[in-house]
Amino acid sequence: MEGPYFIEHGDVWIRTSEAAKPSFIGTNARHVCDGTEELAIALIGETMMKHGSAKSVDAWAKGKAAAFDVTIVRFPVSPETVDELNKCAANTTRAASIVAKLTAIGEVRPELSRLPRYPR
């Protein structure tokens, strides 16, 4: 799996270009969320504006929601969803099709059938 996000010991981490707080993963990785939490992206129109843990995306969107029409798409942690998140991080316009991509992942992996999920 290529990209900034990766799963290690069941948690999601992101590679950084600067030294982060040292962890057992290394000094250039920052913890994003554990495997039981959700990842998310925030879209304005068809462009991804923020990605990462659902908590961080929600916090970002909270300040933007009044000025912009922000759509948040949440999804569980799995190798397939992290791979898709990496593809979206590499090409922010790909995020416009993330609902279809996550739905396809859910068809192949029935245990992820709640893909995608929008906050209430």
Side-chain angles (χ1 to χ4, degrees):
M1 192 174 344
E2 296 293 321
Y5 293 95
F6 63 98
I7 299 173
E8 189 71 39
H9 303 291
D11 289 3
V12 178
W13 299 79
I14 188 167
R15 290 177 183 88
T16 63
S17 57
E18 56 190 53
K21 182 178 174 183
S23 69
F24 66 92
I25 298 297
T27 57
N28 287 22
R30 184 175 43 85
H31 188 257
V32 175
C33 68
D34 69 40
T36 65
E37 295 177 295
E38 292 181 308
L39 296 167
I41 65 166
L43 298 162
I44 295 179
E46 294 186 349
T47 304
M48 182 172 64
M49 303 302 290
K50 178 75 175 163
H51 50 83
S53 72
K55 289 178 186 177
S56 70
V57 172
D58 286 345
W60 178 88
K62 188 175 183 178
K64 307 290 185 223
F68 300 100
D69 184 17
V70 178
T71 302
I72 297 172
V73 181
R74 295 181 182 192
F75 42 96
V77 172
S78 76
E80 296 87 354
T81 59
V82 171
D83 182 52
E84 185 57 35
L85 181 58
N86 281 327
K87 290 174 182 174
C88 289
N91 177 359
T92 59
T93 59
R94 179 185 175 99
S97 65
I98 195 165
V99 171
K101 304 283 186 189
L102 293 174
T103 300
I105 291 169
E107 290 171 0
V108 175
R109 297 267 318 266
E111 68 275 19
L112 301 175
S113 63
R114 64 180 209 245
L115 293 173
R117 191 173 78 72
Y118 299 93
R120 297 172 209 247

